[in-house]
Amino acid sequence: MSAFELSSAADVLAGRSPASVEVRGWVARKHTVGGLVFVQLRDGTGYVQVSARKGASDAAYEGARSSTKESAVVVRGEVKDDRRAPGGKEISAKEFVVVSRAESWPITKTAAKSAGFLFDKRRLSIRGPKAIAAMKIRAEVVGATFDYFRENGFHLISAPSFVQAAVEGGSTLFSVDYFGKQANLSQSAQFYEEAALPALQKVWIFQPAFRAEKSKTAKHLTEFWMIEAEQAFAEQPENMKLQEGLLSKMVERVLANRQAELKTLGRTLKQPPLPFPRISYDEALSTAGKLGFPFEWGDDLPTEAERAISLTQDSPFFVTDYPLSARSFYHMTYPDRPKVTKSADLIAPEGVGELATGGQRIHDYHELMQRIQSQDLPTESFAWYLELRKYGMPPHSGFGIGVERSTRWIAGLKHIRSASLFPRTLSRISP
RNA sequence: GGCGACGUAGCUCAGCGUGGUAGAGCAAUUGGCUGUUAACCAAUUGGUCGUCGGUUCGAGUCCGACCGUCGCCGCCA
């Protein structure tokens, strides 16, 4: 008898394994038919069917029969072609060892219909094929991001999560006790990136952001991973190129490496052509009005208007030149249009909504000071941010893009919580 | 924060209009079946009807408050 060599589900199905294999994994599904047991074994690479036959190998048969759904098992056997097996190959078991027997599995096929239950049991339900596909796509998106920034000469930095100043509105901060002082959890690393620019010129960051927005929608998490980048000597047009290049790279990599996962999720994804369309805020205002979703100049793009416009697009697109009234204080305005910012949102098609927000920052000390004062913001909170403008701050721009939002769009997920292993939302902080 | 739904078995739901101490499917357990793909067939097990209070001889059902979940909006990545 030949020795069993360690292999994986994916290698067995692809025909890359030796004839006698050992595979380690979990029982994803089990059927018994008389003296035959079929087990769909799952490992980190995929699924493969194992059959155990009474009479052929009674020990393997007994092992397989006594296994339960989600038990951890080690299987040794012969790889055989069989048209009746999913994928056309199966492992005919000689040995079937239950390493860790699972109790009665709570995720049943009716439970799969209940999003609330699945997320209550998220620590277990993440073993399902759709959750696995979403996580593999997310990992591909993150991997593409690391490569993209390295290829473009950006330095990865890190920034604190305990902060004092708010980058976005102050009402959306989570506060924590910091040895008797109040600290907040960071909403964005943007200010730290700006500080790093004179040292590194092109920087990016990958870390969690915390937003205490009481948003109960399919696109909000209270804790999410954000990709942010900031470039010195780069103005807004260059900033948009960087963003579309990144999203494009994410899609390219997922299309290249995650076809099976896209199929599992029922997602049809196409490579969007570059450059992405640029629609000015004023155009968006007019288009939304024509589509029956009017709003006032100066307001942020309402969700209905954004969705209506996005349904007219078949690739991601930018909405540019937002009014200052809809933007944070640090946004730079056009010299001849003081109420219009050099900024843009990157919006996904199909009604998915905002993926990224970016813009050019004010680099002049007096202009920024004036802006802070005119908006009645506490100057002392932004003292160090302001001070950066005293020591050689060139024109610069940057953006932030949500990892889970990008994954949600690319993977075609209905809700952003499916793009997170353990999502944090308004009503969910466990498990 | 606003508007709207919904809480009955481990899960999905029916029952509530016309009040009289709960029912199905799935899951689980046991048995049967030597090619299953959401397997199938049979039997068994399983419920302080979200919580508290009110009306009533009697409340899963009617009324009130509270708690929780979900959806859409505002806000945003």
Side-chain angles (χ1 to χ4, degrees):
Chain A
M1 189 166 77
S2 53
F4 300 107
E5 285 181 53
L6 189 59
S7 189
S8 69
D11 283 349
V12 169
L13 275 198
R16 289 189 298 259
S17 70
S20 298
V21 293
E22 172 177 317
V23 176
R24 304 165 177 174
W26 292 264
V27 175
R29 212 163 59 203
K30 180 187 143 189
H31 292 144
T32 63
V33 186
L36 250 179
V37 184
F38 296 103
V39 164
Q40 292 300 322
L41 182 137
R42 180 189 69 248
D43 68 9
T45 67
Y47 298 84
V48 66
Q49 176 161 292
V50 176
S51 67
R53 195 178 294 264
K54 194 177 184 178
S57 172
D58 287 350
Y61 169 75
E62 285 307 321
R65 209 175 62 90
S66 72
S67 72
T68 53
K69 197 170 184 194
E70 291 303 325
S71 290
V73 299
V74 173
V75 175
R76 298 183 191 90
E78 306 299 325
V79 176
K80 290 184 174 162
D81 291 319
D82 196 315
R83 287 189 296 115
R84 297 166 295 189
K89 285 186 194 298
E90 70 178 16
I91 299 170
S92 177
K94 293 274 170 55
E95 296 172 41
F96 193 110
V97 183
V98 177
V99 175
S100 178
R101 191 169 191 277
E103 292 180 17
S104 168
W105 184 245
I107 316 291
T108 62
K109 52 189 174 187
T110 41
K113 289 193 282 187
S114 166
F117 182 77
L118 289 182
F119 281 95
D120 285 343
K121 300 280 182 188
R122 183 69 169 164
R123 61 201 171 276
L124 302 178
S125 63
I126 51 177
R127 303 184 194 187
K130 287 187 178 180
I132 289 170
M135 290 311 103
K136 287 184 175 176
I137 290 172
R138 185 185 193 275
E140 202 67 48
V141 163
V142 171
T145 301
F146 274 78
D147 290 346
Y148 178 76
F149 282 119
R150 183 174 297 138
E151 286 159 12
N152 284 279
F154 280 72
H155 300 281
L156 176 66
I157 63 165
S158 60
S161 286
F162 291 124
V163 299
Q164 287 196 304
V167 177
E168 305 298 327
S171 62
T172 65
L173 287 164
F174 283 107
S175 62
V176 293
D177 176 76
Y178 195 81
F179 305 116
K181 286 182 192 167
Q182 188 195 305
N184 303 305
L185 294 177
S186 175
Q187 305 162 303
S188 162
Q190 182 195 319
F191 291 177
Y192 296 96
E193 288 187 305
E194 288 186 59
L197 283 185
L200 299 165
Q201 190 163 344
K202 293 157 93 173
V203 302
W204 80 284
I205 199 160
F206 177 72
Q207 69 173 41
F210 304 89
R211 302 274 171 97
E213 295 153 7
K214 295 199 170 175
S215 309
K216 289 176 282 187
T217 77
K219 59 180 182 179
H220 283 88
L221 295 170
T222 53
E223 176 181 354
F224 62 96
W225 282 73
M226 188 146 66
I227 295 158
E228 294 175 274
E230 204 75 26
Q231 268 181 291
F233 302 104
E235 306 216 10
Q236 177 58 5
E238 203 173 329
N239 187 31
M240 284 191 278
K241 272 191 189 170
L242 188 68
Q243 291 172 57
E244 63 190 359
L246 172 61
L247 190 60
S248 196
K249 176 94 173 182
M250 290 173 177
V251 173
E252 187 188 312
R253 286 278 291 271
V254 169
L255 285 174
N257 300 331
R258 293 295 165 200
Q259 281 297 334
E261 286 75 14
L262 290 171
K263 194 179 171 197
T264 297
L265 294 168
R267 174 63 165 158
T268 324
L269 180 68
K270 285 184 298 184
Q271 186 72 43
L274 290 172
F276 296 165
R278 272 100 169 128
I279 299 170
S280 75
Y281 175 88
D282 290 355
E283 284 173 71
L285 179 84
S286 142
T287 306
K290 285 177 199 158
L291 293 170
F293 302 98
F295 59 97
E296 292 290 309
W297 196 94
D299 290 348
D300 203 350
L301 199 57
T303 299
E304 287 90 348
E306 180 191 87
R307 183 177 297 119
I309 293 166
S310 91
L311 292 174
T312 69
Q313 302 293 320
D314 47 16
S315 90
F317 61 99
F318 291 101
V319 173
T320 68
D321 304 332
Y322 276 81
L324 179 56
S325 53
R327 287 303 207 208
S328 294
F329 72 94
Y330 48 74
H331 278 88
M332 191 167 208
T333 52
Y334 289 95
D336 54 336
R337 289 192 290 167
K339 288 183 176 172
V340 179
T341 60
K342 297 179 177 183
S343 69
D345 281 358
L346 177 56
I347 299 173
E350 304 163 66
V352 170
E354 281 178 47
L355 299 180
T357 291
Q360 192 165 334
R361 328 301 191 187
I362 297 171
H363 60 278
D364 180 78
Y365 180 87
H366 297 288
E367 196 181 337
L368 186 59
M369 174 64 105
Q370 253 181 0
R371 182 67 66 73
I372 289 170
Q373 287 170 344
S374 71
Q375 296 196 4
D376 292 322
L377 295 167
T379 317
E380 58 284 1
S381 296
F382 301 109
W384 72 255
Y385 182 64
L386 194 54
E387 190 204 43
L388 295 173
R389 275 69 188 165
K390 285 183 176 177
Y391 300 100
M393 186 57 92
H396 64 285
S397 59
F399 68 92
I401 182 168
V403 172
E404 290 82 7
R405 282 192 178 180
S406 305
T407 303
R408 180 193 170 206
W409 172 64
I410 289 170
L413 306 171
K414 285 201 170 57
H415 199 291
I416 194 169
R417 63 190 165 208
S418 305
S420 172
L421 202 53
F422 294 104
R424 291 293 172 260
T425 62
L426 190 58
S427 60
R428 201 170 288 281
I429 193 169
S430 171

